Amino acid sequence: MKRLLMLWLCLLAAGPLLAATPLPGDSIYQLGAKLTDQDGHSWPLSARRGRVQLVTMFYTSCTMVCPMTVDTMKATRKAVEEPARDKLDLLAVSFDPARDNVAALHQYAQKRQLDAPHWTLARAEPQDVRALSALLGLQYRQLPDGDFNHSSELILLDPDGRIIARTTIIGRLDPAFVDAVRKALASG
Amino acid sequence: MGSIGMRWVWLIIGIGATTASLAAEYVPLPGGSFASVLAADNKSAPAQIKPFHLRTEPVTNAEFLAFVTAHPQWARDRVATVFADKQYLSQWASADALGPDALPRQPVIRVSWFAAQAFCESEQARLPTWYEWEYAAAADTHRADARSDPAWRNRVLDWYGRPSGTALPLVGGEADVHGVRDLNGLVWEWVDDFNALLVSGDGREQDGADKVRFCGAGAANMQQKENYATLMRVAMLSALKASDTTNNMGFRCARPE
């Protein structure tokens, strides 16, 4: 009984300790940005911690590369075998906070069949969008007609938010990148 | 009673003077339509710049030290590696002291984009956009846009040609027509949208296989080929990562009106 009590006390003490394990210095979750998803829920970027993430940036009115980027994310996930596939989260953050409100994200998710819980579409305030793009090494600029020039890449984050792989191959599978995803899921 | 009263008056005046000398000065710039080296639509459209306020001087070592003291998460021994590289503030004697190689009134250099942005937030400001910076830097002592004057171009280019081994001058150069100092001739400066210029120094974007990375019209089309001093700056900014620090990159801040 006494031992059980001790064990329980240890667990009680260790729980918060585990939760408070400091983030690695090279984690993008160091950024204190707030994101809002397609269901209107807001959370800090660091709430993604704990699972492997496939991340990109896009905007819903983009008609050229973005649909291909989303398709490539779908295909990459599908290329991973069950059950490892279910441990992978897909996150797409909008370049266009002015037009991509929660309703626009929600509609896009429905239209493209980007189902929760593994898909998250999110928006952030303009200064956080710029900082996140800087952290991810993505470029974007808005044109006078409202469209964007932007780089299109898929970025793989480990459970602590470190960038462990990236690919600029969009429109078909990048075998090396798929391997990196598999490896991350096996060790994560 | 009288003397005690006077002492309070002097104390208050003293505090006021100290605060005034510490607070950075910002001046209003009218903005408007501006022919940037980067056309807004990648073809020929001028940039539309809203009125804004610009810091009259680049941020100095002394000012950045005060910021780091108040926000120790930005000290060089504490900063997250994702926000600044190993060279961050390495010209200082230690994490919390300038030392002989970093004079208080020299512009701070070896700061990352993230650190610069955090400093500006502490002044309720942000980094200027590229268009704001380029527009402000087009001025000289008596014209808002001196760029068509070959003498202006030569002055900027002469600075680029200066050997990089020499010690940085102090801030406090001649004020331009807006009352802003040292935009050209002292340090390079971060801009908010440094990763929006879509021109890379290594020419990656010209590679046909990579064109798909850019949604829309592709890499920005550079205007005014004769203004290569400004084009060099665009190339430099585009080649950097946000955590990079360099020997000649400082910054100043801006505020929307």
Side-chain angles (χ1 to χ4, degrees), chain A residues 59-77:
Chain A
Y59 63 109
T60 64
S61 55
C62 164
T63 52
M64 294 178 72
V65 175
C66 306
M68 281 166 68
T69 306
V70 165
D71 287 344
T72 310
M73 282 174 85
K74 279 182 173 175
T76 304
R77 179 171 182 273

Side-chain angles (χ1 to χ4, degrees), chain A residues 25-28 30-31 59 62-66 68 130-131 133-135 138-144 148-153 168 170, chain B residues 38-42 45 80-83 113-114 131 192-199 205 210 212-218 220 238 242:
Chain A
D26 54 350
S27 166
I28 71 154
Q30 295 278 353
L31 183 71
Y59 63 109
C62 164
T63 52
M64 294 178 72
V65 175
C66 306
M68 281 166 68
R130 183 61 70 190
S133 75
L135 270 181
L138 299 175
Q139 302 188 315
Y140 74 99
R141 73 194 292 245
Q142 189 162 25
L143 303 173
F148 287 78
N149 282 165
H150 64 89
S151 50
S152 302
E153 292 189 50
T168 57
I170 299 296
Chain B
L38 298 178
D41 59 352
N42 295 326
T81 54
V82 78
F83 292 142
W113 180 89
F114 291 111
Y131 285 147
D192 176 71
D193 50 351
F194 79 100
N195 66 342
L197 312 178
L198 290 191
V199 187
E205 278 69 63
D210 272 347
V212 73
R213 288 170 58 201
F214 297 95
C215 202
S238 312

Side-chain angles (χ1 to χ4, degrees), chain A residues 68-131:
Chain A
M68 281 166 68
T69 306
V70 165
D71 287 344
T72 310
M73 282 174 85
K74 279 182 173 175
T76 304
R77 179 171 182 273
K78 220 173 158 186
V80 177
E81 299 72 20
E82 298 273 19
R85 185 190 296 171
D86 293 326
K87 293 199 292 177
L88 181 64
D89 283 349
L90 310 178
L91 172 65
V93 182
S94 174
F95 287 118
D96 190 5
R99 289 185 297 183
D100 283 344
N101 53 21
V102 169
L105 295 176
H106 189 82
Q107 197 184 6
Y108 191 84
Q110 282 194 319
K111 195 179 82 187
R112 302 293 323 272
Q113 296 178 308
L114 311 177
D115 299 328
H118 53 271
W119 267 102
T120 304
L121 305 183
R123 69 181 303 283
E125 291 309 308
Q127 66 273 24
D128 284 343
V129 176
R130 183 61 70 190

